[in-house]
Amino acid sequence: MRSDAVKKGLARAPHRSLFKAMGYTNEELQRPLIGIGHAHNEIIPGHIHLDKIVDAVKAGVRMAGGTPIAFATIGVCDGIAMSHTGMKYSLASREIIADSVEIMGQAHPFDAMVLVPNCDKVVPGMLMAMLRLNIPALMVSGGPMLTGRFQGKDVHLISVFEGVGRVKANTMTIEELNELEDAACPSCGSCAGMFTANSMNCLTEALGLALPGNGTIPAVAAARIRLAKMAGMAVMNLFHEEIRPRDIATKEAFENAMAVDMALGCSTNTVLHVPAIAWEAGVELPLATFNEVSGRVPHICSLIPGGPHSLQQLNEAGGVQAVMRELLNTESGLHQNVKTVTGHTLGENLNRATVRDREIIRSVDNPYHQQGGIAVLYGNLAPEGAVVKQSAVAPEMMCHQGPARIFDSEEEAQSAILAGRINPGDVVVIRYCGPKGGPGMPEMLSPTSAIIGMGLGKSVALITDGRFSGGTQGACVGHVSPEAADGGPIGLIREGETIVVDITGKTLHCEIDEAEMSRRRESWQPPPPKITTGYIARYARMVGSGSSGAILK
């Protein structure tokens, strides 16, 4: 066993003594030591209950003959971090989470691991560490929040963000917003809807590194506790069979996960995280691959925020496994022979899956959209690419052109939107918000929600070298690369110049000629860094392009 390095033999008597200081018995030390890395804390709604999930995992490990040993890592609540300096630290936390799990797994040589995250950067960060360590491991997440009810309709966190714009537009009273604020988030769990956290939890299941149900079973359901116990037992099987994460997370498995991404209409943030996770597995996933998969996989689930259905409804309809079963009917199908943490192949798992509701999970012959949920755009504004959640764009905004309204920070743009200075037809440009320029590539949920809330969602586009929350909807194009802080074209355009956002044609273009662009590039000077000390300053110096997953160099 790997843990023999700290518990076996004469020379390890001091090590055993330290274990015994914590109450471990000789019998426990003779068993495999199973690390349980979790992110339980009291600041993230998706993580407040993870102590219960960890307890259930421990029970499963013990039932299967292992000794569970829990340790914690950090996590950032993107909703609470939104619209202030804290959002600069959100994406950057992914690397700290990955590094901390790697450190714990190497300093204390566990025989296997179960990782227990739930929210945006914690899931990909832990997956990155899992693939670095490459010891038998799987993930079990905390599960999605239930939707709330307000004035007879389902509501969620994004409803509150949009409510701010509605108050400014005089279509909602402050008293109604206060009532909505109390109703929108009715339980613990990752925010209700196919936002980034739930997207990544679903894709972890599709990748084969989590048990069926991981992406959709509600946080408050007893089935979530049972799933955690099964995860504890499953990791012991992985240990005995010597099945490791890189045996599962192959190129074919990542292609399966990308297909599910397109079918579900997941967050644009998956285009940052999936390539970064694949890189840790030694699998290359160029940005253009997302368009290739989108072109052959239809969008068959219309989930919040782009559609009406919740994660709870998706779970009742059969969940991720049922979606994958339906994707077997596409021309390219799925790779069915890949391994999964169940100990069975994907094909064997899908033999037990059924679609229970054809409105929630449509047939591939009757999709919501013929193409997948995400599109990558290229052009003179985005030579390395830009990303849009096309399944959440109104038909009339699939091709839009208008004058650039340029802002060098999210705060400036938000103020202009709420003050009514943005007009129908405009293209809002928010730049110097990329991985280096932000720094940390902050999410733009406040301005995108304000655009929707003020009734401009079908007449105004937004482009940025920053990124969006999974809750963003509308013609919002992010990850524009190269970013402005790296001399990218988005930093060279000027107020009023015509921008063409053609999502159908996969292009993002500014109507200025290349000679003029070159002249501006020659005179461009990088701005001074916004933060010069601490972790985020180091991050800005080391981080790569958003087009390749914002991986640290």
Side-chain angles (χ1 to χ4, degrees):
M1 288 188 287
R2 188 170 181 263
S3 62
D4 285 348
V6 294
K7 67 183 188 183
K8 189 174 182 180
L10 177 65
R12 297 299 181 256
H15 302 66
R16 292 192 295 272
S17 182
L18 290 169
F19 276 101
K20 290 176 180 179
M22 295 179 280
Y24 290 98
T25 65
N26 286 327
E27 289 75 12
E28 287 175 299
L29 295 180
Q30 288 167 6
R31 298 177 178 184
L33 303 186
I34 311 301
I36 304 175
H38 65 88
H40 170 248
N41 58 52
E42 297 180 351
I43 191 64
I44 305 178
H47 290 198
I48 189 73
H49 66 304
L50 290 188
D51 54 338
K52 308 296 189 301
I53 304 296
V54 170
D55 286 344
V57 173
K58 287 180 178 179
V61 169
R62 289 193 180 102
M63 283 190 287
T67 297
I69 302 175
F71 65 90
T73 186
I74 65 167
V76 171
C77 178
D78 279 21
I80 295 174
M82 198 71 63
S83 305
H84 60 92
T85 300
M87 182 41 68
K88 300 180 188 300
Y89 290 79
S90 174
L91 179 61
S93 73
R94 185 186 74 183
E95 316 309 316
I96 293 287
I97 293 159
D99 290 349
S100 64
V101 174
E102 176 194 359
I103 287 168
M104 292 297 288
Q106 294 289 23
H108 315 100
F110 300 117
D111 296 301
M113 294 181 77
V114 179
L115 297 175
V116 186
N118 209 27
C119 289
D120 293 27
K121 310 312 160 304
V122 191
V123 177
M126 286 189 173
L127 286 172
M128 290 163 69
M130 182 194 294
L131 289 159
R132 282 184 205 170
L133 289 167
N134 201 35
I135 61 174
L138 80 164
M139 181 171 284
V140 58
S141 301
M145 183 185 291
L146 300 178
T147 52
R149 294 288 291 174
F150 173 70
Q151 295 182 345
K153 297 179 180 179
D154 285 343
V155 291
H156 43 81
L157 177 66
I158 310 307
S159 307
V160 187
F161 274 95
E162 293 173 357
V164 174
R166 292 178 63 188
V167 170
K168 285 288 186 178
N170 296 316
T171 59
M172 174 180 274
T173 67
I174 191 68
E175 291 77 18
E176 287 176 315
L177 180 60
N178 289 339
E179 185 181 345
L180 173 61
E181 176 186 321
D182 289 343
C185 299
S187 75
C188 62
S190 46
C191 294
M194 192 50 75
F195 312 144
T196 306
N198 291 325
S199 294
M200 291 309 305
N201 285 327
C202 287
L203 295 191
T204 303
E205 181 181 336
L207 190 57
L209 291 174
L211 294 175
N214 182 72
T216 58
I217 295 173
V220 296
R224 178 60 59 174
I225 298 298
R226 295 197 298 270
L227 184 74
K229 290 179 180 177
M230 289 188 286
M233 292 185 281
V235 79
M236 295 304 299
N237 181 62
L238 296 175
F239 166 73
H240 290 301
E241 296 295 325
E242 297 185 352
I243 299 173
R244 300 171 185 271
R246 291 186 202 169
D247 299 329
I248 295 169
T250 61
K251 187 175 190 297
E252 292 75 17
F254 277 102
E255 289 176 354
N256 287 345
M258 293 169 74
V260 171
D261 190 342
M262 298 305 165
L264 292 176
C266 290
S267 164
T268 53
N269 282 319
T270 62
V271 181
L272 276 177
H273 299 317
V274 172
I277 296 162
W279 186 79
E280 298 287 358
V283 174
E284 186 176 349
L285 285 181
L287 192 61
T289 309
F290 285 86
N291 273 349
E292 295 170 13
V293 178
S294 180
R296 58 181 170 81
V297 178
H299 176 226
I300 61 174
C301 298
S302 187
L303 301 163
I304 297 168
H309 301 138
S310 68
L311 266 291
Q312 184 177 356
Q313 290 174 301
L314 177 60
N315 185 65
E316 292 165 356
V320 173
Q321 299 295 302
V323 172
M324 298 183 85
R325 177 66 180 263
E326 179 58 31
L327 292 182
L328 295 181
N329 297 320
T330 59
E331 185 175 339
S332 56
L334 296 174
H335 301 285
Q336 296 185 58
N337 291 326
V338 294
K339 295 180 180 179
T340 72
V341 293
T342 64
H344 303 290
T345 66
L346 176 67
E348 291 168 337
N349 291 344
L350 296 185
N351 284 335
R352 297 184 286 274
T354 57
V355 177
R356 302 191 189 102
D357 188 325
R358 279 296 180 185
E359 181 59 23
I360 308 298
I361 303 173
R362 285 195 176 181
S363 162
V364 294
D365 297 321
N366 180 36
Y368 286 97
H369 300 96
Q370 290 293 335
Q371 292 192 342
I374 288 175
V376 179
L377 314 185
Y378 294 93
N380 70 348
L381 272 182
E384 294 179 4
V387 182
V388 62
K389 187 173 182 175
Q390 63 180 348
S391 60
V393 179
E396 54 265 54
M397 292 299 292
M398 291 296 286
C399 188
H400 175 83
Q401 73 175 54
R405 303 297 309 280
I406 294 177
F407 304 94
D408 287 347
S409 72
E410 178 187 2
E411 293 77 13
E412 293 175 25
Q414 177 77 344
S415 295
I417 295 166
L418 293 179
R421 299 202 304 272
I422 301 302
N423 303 310
D426 285 349
V427 179
V428 175
V429 178
I430 307 178
R431 61 192 187 184
Y432 292 103
C433 292
K436 292 182 180 178
M441 207 176 185
E443 289 184 345
M444 304 292 167
L445 181 56
S446 291
T448 60
S449 298
I451 286 171
I452 298 295
M454 295 189 73
L456 297 171
K458 295 183 179 180
S459 61
V460 168
L462 185 151
I463 71 171
T464 179
D465 52 6
R467 60 193 179 91
F468 299 120
S469 161
T472 291
Q473 58 177 307
C476 299
V477 182
H479 308 198
V480 174
S481 300
E483 62 175 293
D486 253 352
I490 191 174
L492 306 178
I493 58 175
R494 296 174 181 170
E495 181 82 10
E497 292 180 331
T498 299
I499 292 176
V500 180
V501 182
D502 185 356
I503 298 171
T504 303
K506 307 290 193 294
T507 61
L508 180 62
H509 189 79
C510 183
E511 292 188 348
I512 56 174
D513 62 44
E514 183 53 39
E516 175 60 19
M517 192 77 85
S518 296
R519 281 191 291 272
R520 294 180 188 181
R521 188 175 290 111
E522 289 173 3
S523 61
W524 176 83
Q525 293 293 325
K530 296 174 184 174
I531 297 178
T532 58
T533 60
Y535 169 65
I536 202 67
R538 297 197 304 274
Y539 177 89
R541 292 193 296 268
M542 298 169 66
V543 71
S545 171
S547 64
S548 55
I551 299 165
L552 292 190
K553 298 177 182 177

